[in-house]
Amino acid sequence: MLTEEDRGFLLLHCLYFTSFLHLPGTSEEVAPPLQQSFMIPKKEINMVSDMAKWKRSQAYADYMGFILTLNEGVRGKKLTCEYKVSEPIEKLVALLNTLDRWIDETPPVDQPSRFGNKAFRTWYAKLDQEAEKLVATVIPKHLAAAAPEVAVYLKESVGNSTRIDYGTGHEAAFAAFLCCLCKIGVLRVDDQMAIVFKVFNSNYKLLKRKILFLVVENTFSALGSLPDHPNLEPRHFVDEKVVNENHKDFMFLECILFITEMKTGPFAEHSNQLWNISAVPSWSKVNQGLIRMYKAECLEKFPVIQHFKFGSLLPIQPVTS
């Protein structure tokens, strides 16, 4: 459940996103060119005092509006439910499948260090070279000028090729990548469920592959929560039997399953924060708390946001509404 502040924010941005997303049935052939000058996104947050610019920016407002809209759009829904899958969604999944296939073509390097396998740099170099072409397969021809700008967020979303790691900032870049596709009209209002259940889920599977096969050190966040399920309560997600029986229905439980497979020892020790969340009385409270935590521990942390890049689609300029 969202706070009143978040609901007000969400309402404004549902209206905002509806205003610039193409309506269902709009033909690519007759769609007019987007009247916008695109640019390569760049760093704007260089010191802690710059964080005030970020929190006042149009980028922050659009990003949070996007996240909250998706959050509401999948409430009460299972991964296994029926939903519309548009052509752009299918193309995005194909893009992620291409990145997954490249993992098979990039075997880990035999090296003494457990973490930071150098094969990841080979995999990343291929993406760096092909990113614009990959994005161009998703974007229609009349929006081709946007590809270089949008491709930056795709490259930023897969992890750091120098440190060979993955964290919440890379998660944010992937959400920004999809937000940009919404802003130029590639993704539409009725794609909300597919964005989460198809695209985010495919990206999560890709992340697991990178961790397992390219040994990428990770600090990703298991954000998300179940709807107000009549039988499953927050206390149940630390129950191995419950997780095994229900993980195919809920992304949150899929994350929990992966954590238990990757880590050893008591859950309360290796994932103490999640263990604490299991004591929350309802899923609506969990959802509300995770959104608040995401803002505080990710979007308002300089070490994370200093790497975020700003362009014409997610501008650093103050919000105009």
Side-chain angles (χ1 to χ4, degrees), residues 181-193:
L181 291 177
C182 283
K183 293 199 69 173
I184 62 175
V186 172
L187 298 176
R188 305 173 181 181
V189 173
D190 55 352
D191 285 320
Q192 289 179 35
M193 288 181 64

Side-chain angles (χ1 to χ4, degrees), residues 25-240:
T26 300
S27 170
E28 290 181 4
E29 287 74 15
V30 299
L34 193 67
Q35 299 299 313
Q36 181 166 347
S37 297
F38 298 101
M39 60 180 286
I40 300 299
K42 61 181 182 178
K43 273 174 55 71
E44 297 282 359
I45 308 301
N46 299 305
M47 55 187 69
V48 174
S49 59
D50 290 335
M51 289 294 288
K53 291 194 300 183
W54 155 243
K55 286 185 274 188
R56 292 195 303 266
S57 71
Q58 188 69 51
Y60 181 87
D62 291 349
Y63 181 89
M64 277 307 305
F66 178 67
I67 294 295
L68 294 174
T69 299
L70 294 182
N71 181 71
E72 285 291 294
V74 297
R75 283 180 63 84
K77 308 293 194 307
K78 292 183 178 182
L79 280 168
T80 49
C81 73
E82 292 186 5
Y83 51 88
K84 175 199 167 191
V85 179
S86 65
E87 184 178 352
I89 293 291
E90 294 284 12
K91 289 179 177 179
L92 277 168
V93 172
L95 184 158
L96 294 170
N97 287 340
T98 296
L99 300 186
D100 187 88
R101 188 182 71 249
W102 289 353
I103 293 177
D104 294 326
E105 300 168 1
T106 315
V109 173
D110 186 11
Q111 62 182 55
S113 174
R114 178 187 172 192
F115 291 110
N117 195 282
K118 293 178 182 177
F120 179 72
R121 292 175 181 157
T122 303
W123 181 89
Y124 181 86
K126 190 168 186 176
L127 172 61
D128 190 38
Q129 183 177 3
E130 301 291 330
E132 288 185 26
K133 292 180 183 178
L134 289 172
V135 171
T137 65
V138 178
I139 294 178
K141 291 181 179 179
H142 71 277
L143 296 172
E149 178 168 345
V150 177
V152 168
Y153 294 103
L154 176 62
K155 290 189 288 186
E156 292 286 313
S157 75
V158 300
N160 185 279
S161 62
T162 301
R163 298 188 304 271
I164 313 183
D165 64 6
Y166 182 94
T168 51
H170 303 112
E171 276 186 327
F174 187 73
F177 166 62
L178 298 178
C179 182
C180 287
L181 291 177
C182 283
K183 293 199 69 173
I184 62 175
V186 172
L187 298 176
R188 305 173 181 181
V189 173
D190 55 352
D191 285 320
Q192 289 179 35
M193 288 181 64
I195 289 173
V196 178
F197 291 157
K198 267 283 192 186
V199 182
F200 269 103
N201 201 32
S202 293
N203 189 58
Y204 175 62
K205 291 176 182 177
L206 175 64
L207 169 60
K208 290 195 293 185
R209 285 268 285 159
K210 284 186 288 184
I211 293 170
L212 291 172
F213 288 89
L214 299 182
V215 202
V216 178
E217 189 172 8
N218 78 91
T219 56
F220 74 94
S221 56
L223 288 176
S225 59
L226 282 76
D228 290 323
H229 197 282
N231 300 316
L232 295 178
E233 300 175 11
R235 62 188 176 88
H236 289 130
F237 78 73
V238 294
D239 184 314
E240 183 178 351

Side-chain angles (χ1 to χ4, degrees), residues 250-267:
F250 303 106
M251 288 177 67
F252 182 78
L253 295 185
E254 187 70 28
C255 290
I256 299 299
L257 178 64
F258 184 60
I259 290 170
T260 58
E261 291 172 343
M262 291 291 291
K263 297 186 177 183
T264 58
F267 193 94

